[in-house]
Amino acid sequence: MPTCTFVPLKLLFNTASSQLLANSKFSTPNPAVPRPYSTMASTDDLSQHREGGGGKPMLARHRAQEAPEAQASQQGRPQYFPLGYKEGFSQWWAGLAPAQTEHRVLSYVPYLQKPPTHTQTGSAPPSTNTSTMSVDKSSDKAATPVRTNSITDPYGPRQWHSKLVQLAGKNRFLNEFSVERMGEETQNNLVMLHGYGAGLGFFYKNFDALSRVPHWKLYALDLLGMGRSSRPPFRIHARDKEDKVREAENWFVDALEEWRIKRGIEKMTLLGHSLGGYMAVCYALKYPGHLNKLILASPVGIPEDPYAVNEDMPEPNDSTMQNEFTQPQEETSGKTQAGGVKPPRKQLPKWLTTLWDANISPFSLVRLSGPLGPRLVSGWTSRRFSHLPAEEAQALHDYSYSLFRQRGSGEYALAYILAPGAFARSPLIRRIHGVGRQYQEIHFKPEPDSASTRSTAQKVRETGVPVVFMYGDKDWMDKEGGWNSEEIIKAEKKKALENATAREKELENGDAKTRIIKNAGHHVYLDGFEEFNRVMAEEMKDVERRQRRLGEL
């Protein structure tokens, strides 16, 4: 699968299926025994759980710090899942809620030792409500904004706020984290979207740096049905395969548009990672006229694969997805062989494509695994966060597991959008030319309008949106998708200018480029966060320059 937030599926499935029955007596804790940490814990509480109550450190990086005799006793333990059974059971039993683990991750944001964390969602473990992530609208569960001053915050004063934004319909809420510069007029908005199954907490290395840019307000959102946003049932009613893809895409982008309207944002710079990048492109196509810039960090679903997208859309027999799950952080690479020839892709097992067809998500296996869940998740977190300080890696593991075990919702969209592997059912390479070239009217689907023609008084086209593709130099995602898209966007710009009016030529704002972040993999915003933050600041300044130029016309 295309992104970053679950463990190796084959290993997870085999381990879970062989041990689930043996451990089934632990699947539901004794209700007479109190579950620790069922409400918001303080930093000290979480530290005690990590260092004492939760047993030994669970990540491989932590184990290297243990006494030699302790290490020797664990030599026979499988390396794919470094967390032991005892430690895994302890974490499962503790039942840390998403609000707690998100709070802990955000405590590592510089100058924000006491982050605001609303507890309107994710304040209790999932066993207390098996139907959905419960939503508590009471005011005492809302978070009070935290303000830093120029004494405690050299880049302040800034206001940090955690909020649950209600949308229309039953049980539709988006989890939002924002950073606003105080004493300044907000002239631009940066909106950040995470990848598949993840949450806004994964951007904790970016919040401080990106909110230093004057006159910008930063928003990070949990996609509907993921993170700490509400988890309404995900249902597809379409019968046609292509319509199923569009319905799944609309499920996310319609919620984003409703949020934008609620926030009163006319235009924004939209940053999306992996699946968030895919949805950002879909948003640009369906809701034109609201973007100043589109930034795609290792986006999924761009390249075309004939096995995944032909008329009958059969499932492919191979994929590059296993790189994300089985290779250590430092070895993950998207490089090709000499001469530009890619290495042959390995065949996916039949059982995995069967599970995919049945829309069994990897998180379903984590939930069904009960006490084995934390151990299975450690197979992914120990690899992907090994480059981070030990306590931060631990916090991200806890955060990941607390999200993975929540009720399934938006995660079920993946099988409709992607074939088994990293290829889209409706690849963006076929649609990317429409970004910034859409008629500014109501669109019902994230599809490009017809080839560029001269606008009329009744139908006015967009005059281009700058698009930035970002990949890590060790990214397993195919960088060629970005380079090819860049060429397509530039070719569409040339075509549009040939038919443009004099005024449209003056307003032309389209552009595309691909940037490579050094020493980074798929999690480009986290692996190479320092360079990523510098590049992002440059792109934000570029938005301002473009606005000044257009404002002078």
Side-chain angles (χ1 to χ4, degrees), residues 40-87:
M40 177 62 79
S42 66
T43 299
D44 291 340
D45 293 334
L46 291 168
S47 178
Q48 291 172 4
H49 168 69
R50 182 175 61 255
E51 298 174 2
K56 302 173 184 177
M58 68 183 60
L59 301 179
R61 183 182 182 92
H62 298 192
R63 295 189 177 279
Q65 302 171 357
E66 293 184 332
E69 59 269 22
Q71 295 181 21
S73 66
Q74 299 170 23
Q75 289 179 353
R77 182 167 294 163
Q79 294 302 306
Y80 280 118
F81 305 115
L83 181 65
Y85 292 100
K86 180 179 178 181
E87 294 87 351

Side-chain angles (χ1 to χ4, degrees), residues 241-242 245-246 249 275 277-279 281-282 285 296 299-311 313-314 414 416-419 421-435 446-448 469 477-478 480-482 484-485 488:
K241 291 186 177 181
E242 189 71 16
V245 174
R246 297 293 178 260
E249 294 168 348
L275 185 67
Y278 179 100
M279 293 303 169
V281 174
C282 293
L285 292 172
L296 308 175
V300 72
I302 289 182
E304 184 165 354
D305 183 85
Y307 295 100
V309 299
N310 67 15
E311 184 177 357
M313 285 198 281
L414 196 68
Y416 296 99
I417 293 170
L418 302 178
F423 294 103
R425 309 273 191 187
S426 179
L428 297 180
I429 198 72
R430 292 182 174 183
R431 298 185 275 166
I432 198 74
H433 65 277
V435 172
E447 295 178 351
F469 300 88
M477 197 67 73
D478 192 353
E480 290 186 10
N484 293 337
S485 296
I488 290 172

Side-chain angles (χ1 to χ4, degrees), residues 138-414:
S138 56
S139 58
D140 62 326
K141 296 291 185 179
T144 302
V146 169
R147 292 188 178 184
T148 57
N149 56 49
S150 56
I151 299 176
T152 60
D153 180 358
Y155 302 99
R158 291 180 283 188
Q159 177 172 282
W160 313 72
H161 198 188
S162 172
K163 188 172 184 179
L164 194 65
V165 181
Q166 183 170 5
L167 306 179
K170 184 179 180 181
N171 194 40
R172 296 177 74 248
F173 300 81
L174 291 189
N175 184 36
E176 168 195 295
F177 182 74
S178 64
V179 191
E180 181 178 7
R181 300 185 60 80
M182 305 304 295
E184 296 179 1
E185 179 186 359
T186 298
Q187 298 174 354
N188 278 289
N189 298 279
L190 173 65
V191 179
M192 309 170 73
L193 304 178
H194 60 77
Y196 175 67
L200 59 82
F202 280 81
F203 291 118
Y204 79 105
K205 290 284 192 182
N206 316 118
F207 292 143
D208 169 53
L210 300 187
S211 63
R212 295 177 187 178
V213 183
H215 304 290
W216 282 74
K217 184 171 183 178
L218 182 154
Y219 295 93
L221 302 176
D222 282 341
L223 294 172
L224 185 63
M226 296 184 188
R228 282 211 299 139
S229 291
S230 65
R231 298 185 174 230
F234 180 84
R235 298 187 181 95
I236 294 295
H237 304 285
R239 296 183 178 274
D240 178 79
K241 291 186 177 181
E242 189 71 16
D243 289 342
K244 289 181 179 180
V245 174
R246 297 293 178 260
E247 187 175 346
E249 294 168 348
N250 287 340
W251 200 78
F252 295 101
V253 300
D254 290 350
L256 176 59
E257 172 65 359
E258 189 176 350
W259 172 87
R260 182 195 66 80
I261 295 172
K262 282 232 170 193
R263 280 285 168 260
I265 298 173
E266 179 58 30
K267 284 201 171 187
M268 58 189 172
T269 295
L270 186 58
L271 164 66
H273 170 250
S274 198
L275 185 67
Y278 179 100
M279 293 303 169
V281 174
C282 293
Y283 177 85
L285 292 172
K286 185 172 183 182
Y287 294 104
H290 298 298
L291 296 185
N292 287 318
K293 178 174 285 190
L294 181 62
I295 303 176
L296 308 175
S298 192
V300 72
I302 289 182
E304 184 165 354
D305 183 85
Y307 295 100
V309 299
N310 67 15
E311 184 177 357
D312 295 328
M313 285 198 281
E315 311 301 357
N317 292 323
D318 51 15
S319 173
T320 59
M321 58 170 277
Q322 49 264 52
N323 287 342
E324 174 60 25
F325 309 130
T326 59
Q327 293 184 3
Q329 177 73 22
E330 63 273 12
E331 295 179 6
T332 301
S333 175
K335 297 180 180 179
T336 61
Q337 294 178 334
V341 179
K342 296 181 183 179
R345 288 180 274 145
K346 298 179 181 179
Q347 189 176 51
L348 282 177
K350 180 64 177 178
W351 65 262
L352 194 148
T353 57
T354 300
L355 286 177
W356 193 292
D357 289 339
N359 209 1
I360 303 297
S361 83
F363 308 119
S364 299
L365 302 182
V366 172
R367 290 188 286 267
L368 290 171
S369 297
L372 292 174
R375 186 166 186 259
L376 302 181
V377 173
S378 74
W380 178 73
T381 57
S382 64
R383 288 165 175 77
R384 286 300 173 259
F385 304 139
S386 62
H387 62 298
L388 296 172
E391 287 200 352
E392 293 182 29
Q394 180 74 54
L396 285 173
H397 169 87
D398 295 343
Y399 180 54
S400 300
Y401 174 63
S402 72
L403 295 182
F404 294 175
R405 70 183 302 198
Q406 299 302 310
R407 183 208 172 168
S409 177
E411 69 192 63
Y412 297 125
L414 196 68

